[in-house]
């Protein structure tokens, strides 16, 4: 009986994993290397292909004096509630989780109203080569937003 129960649980677990793998592939439009320059620095963001139940990414901003000013490790992963979470670790800090609020085609919105800034993270792919990223919320009680007009670029 124990072996039968273990086999059933393993089969259910495998089916759930297969479902997570299929669902995370919805974000494949983010895969690749992206970037832009302006304001005395360049910004780049890289997203690996969705694999398993997650998609891993990283970003950095390098000033014109060739010094890394900011970096961030990020991932999109399936959440326990059937949705997705965006987990950010800016400057290598402990992770902050943003829950998916909306997913429509090639536009996704994540939100964490308890976070200082940003409270919302938005990605939208515009064919053939634009990935618009935006962070928004309140900064010191005032509405604030930063746009990242990313263009596809060669991965190096």
């Amino acid at each position: 009986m124990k072996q039968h129960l273990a086999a059933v649980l393993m089969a259910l677990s495998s089916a759930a994993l297969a479902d997570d793998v299929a669902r995370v592939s919805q974000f494949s439009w983010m895969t690749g290397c992206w970037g832009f320059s302006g304001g005395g620095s360049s910004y780049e963001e890289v997203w690996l292909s969705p694999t398993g139940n997650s998609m891993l990414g990283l970003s950095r901003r390098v000033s014109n004096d060739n010094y890394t000013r900011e970096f961030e490790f990020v991932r999109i992963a399936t959440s326990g509630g059937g949705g997705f979470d965006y987990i950010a670790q800016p400057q290598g800090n402990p992770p902050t989780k943003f829950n998916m609020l909306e997913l429509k085609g090639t536009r996704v919105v994540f939100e964490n109203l308890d976070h200082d800034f940003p409270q919302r993270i938005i990605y939208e792919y515009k064919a053939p080569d634009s990935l618009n990223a935006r962070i928004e919320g309140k900064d010191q009680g005032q509405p604030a937003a930063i746009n990242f007009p990313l263009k596809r670029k060669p991965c190096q």
Side-chain angles (χ1 to χ4, degrees), residues 43-144:
Y43 177 87
E44 61 185 336
E45 195 164 306
V46 177
W47 285 96
L48 300 178
S49 298
T51 302
N53 72 323
S54 67
M55 189 167 178
L56 303 177
L58 60 95
S59 66
R60 68 177 168 186
R61 184 176 66 87
V62 177
S63 61
N64 283 348
D65 62 3
N66 210 28
Y67 186 79
T68 300
R69 299 294 177 180
E70 299 167 347
F71 68 93
E72 184 169 31
F73 302 110
V74 292
R75 68 186 182 274
I76 295 172
T78 53
S79 67
F84 295 92
D85 293 324
Y86 183 98
I87 301 117
Q89 292 184 261
Q91 308 299 102
N93 288 323
T96 300
K97 186 188 303 186
F98 296 79
N99 302 113
M100 188 176 71
L101 185 64
E102 172 187 314
L103 175 60
K104 290 182 181 173
T106 57
R107 182 178 191 275
V108 63
V109 179
F110 298 94
E111 186 175 70
N112 178 343
L113 297 177
D114 295 327
H115 190 253
D116 51 6
F117 182 82
Q119 286 90 32
R120 196 168 298 109
I121 300 166
I122 303 162
Y123 282 94
E124 186 169 13
Y125 173 68
K126 301 279 188 180
D129 65 353
S130 295
L131 181 64
N132 297 313
R134 178 179 170 91
I135 57 175
E136 56 186 38
K138 291 192 177 180
D139 189 13
Q140 299 179 351
Q142 298 298 313

